[in-house]
Amino acid sequence: MSLDLDARQRAMLAEMGITVWQPAAPAAPVSPAVEPAAPGSTPVAAPLPAPTPRADAAPASVRPAPAAERSHPSAAPSPAPAPPATAAGPAQRPQDATAPALRLHAPLPLYPQADPAATPVELGSGWLVVAESAAPEAPLTGDAGKLLDNMLRAMRLHRHPRTHFAAVERAAPGAAADALDAAEALQGSIATLRPAMVLVLGLSAARAVLGSREPLGRLRATVHRLPDGTPAVVTYDPAYLLRAPDAKAAAWADLCRALGQVRTASEAAAPPSSPGAAGD
């Protein structure tokens, strides 16, 4: 609704905080009707009639809201589409990129010059040592090879001509066939040598021999049995012992466990002595 107000009235309404809507075209001025005044009184103007609003002008109370106000405030925006998976996503990772392929070299005798007649009986029929080696054809060379020789001599295995060494080698990436050959080569070597014990040195050798993904600490805790019944004992490899000398005591305990296992089996397999042998 619009009013025909003068400047003073508009100023008063502005001070009161009231906004007056101004039509597009002002209405024609209407002369106020003056009532006849009584003699001696001041003439008073009659109140102005309310102007008729234009048909094309919408009242202030029903004016349409701007387009921004007509939107629903609680309407949530539509979620953005998920980005497409890239080639490096988890679904396209290699199945086991951390597991290298392993293959086993043919066993080599370590002390072929040993006298069979002087071999201690408690060492059993023979030993197969499996470990990684920087020189598969000469495993007793280099610093790690010298430490391995000292370990085996402390066990008196240098007096056994049937002490063999089989080197474990990490095959090149993609050589999956070599990984399958490790288990087959081990079974063939055991069938040929018939060792009393398989001494496994290091985690890579343990995975090649046992096919287990357990950590080395758990594998060292027990005597394992291979599919044909041959016992196997796991301990640290010489290369690791050179870097961590404090582990040598634990490695020696593992070697003694292997010696005790073979000694017990040898005593159980030994024929009983004759009655007259005790009196001789």
Side-chain angles (χ1 to χ4, degrees), residues 254-269:
D254 298 333
L255 300 182
C256 291
R257 182 184 302 113
L259 287 171
Q261 177 71 26
V262 173
R263 182 183 301 110
T264 300
S266 300
E267 293 174 354

Side-chain angles (χ1 to χ4, degrees), residues 4-251:
D4 186 13
L5 305 174
D6 57 17
R8 184 178 62 84
Q9 293 172 329
R10 292 180 182 276
M12 293 175 61
L13 293 175
E15 291 293 333
M16 297 170 62
I18 300 175
T19 303
V20 179
W21 178 75
Q22 180 69 25
V30 179
S31 300
V34 180
E35 297 181 358
S41 62
T42 303
V44 179
L48 296 175
T52 304
R54 295 173 52 184
D56 58 346
S61 59
V62 295
R63 281 185 296 173
E69 298 178 1
R70 289 198 301 266
S71 61
H72 199 285
S74 61
S78 58
T86 60
Q92 300 186 15
R93 290 180 182 174
Q95 293 182 354
D96 192 358
T98 62
L102 303 173
R103 70 186 185 95
L104 195 68
H105 286 255
L108 299 174
L110 292 178
Y111 307 104
Q113 72 281 1
D115 184 4
T119 300
V121 177
E122 60 270 20
L123 294 181
S125 59
W127 288 63
L128 176 60
V129 182
V130 182
E132 282 192 88
S133 175
E137 303 302 326
L140 299 183
T141 60
D143 293 339
K146 292 178 182 178
L147 179 56
L148 174 62
D149 185 32
N150 292 338
M151 294 166 62
L152 299 180
R153 287 179 179 274
M155 300 170 68
R156 298 191 300 168
L157 289 180
H158 66 292
R159 299 176 59 183
H160 204 314
R162 294 179 57 80
T163 300
H164 291 78
F165 180 88
V168 173
E169 182 181 5
R170 303 190 186 194
D178 291 339
L180 298 178
D181 291 341
E184 298 176 359
L186 178 65
Q187 294 175 3
S189 299
I190 292 177
T192 301
L193 301 176
R194 295 293 180 183
M197 172 63 66
V198 176
L199 186 60
V200 185
L201 308 181
L203 185 58
S204 296
R207 290 177 175 175
V209 173
L210 304 176
S212 173
R213 307 298 296 178
E214 294 288 335
L216 189 65
R218 292 185 180 180
L219 297 177
R220 290 180 48 244
T222 184
V223 177
H224 303 270
R225 292 286 174 178
L226 300 182
D228 67 333
T230 303
V233 170
V234 180
T235 189
Y236 301 107
D237 63 275
Y240 174 78
L241 294 176
L242 290 175
R243 301 191 302 269
D246 293 343
K248 289 183 178 181

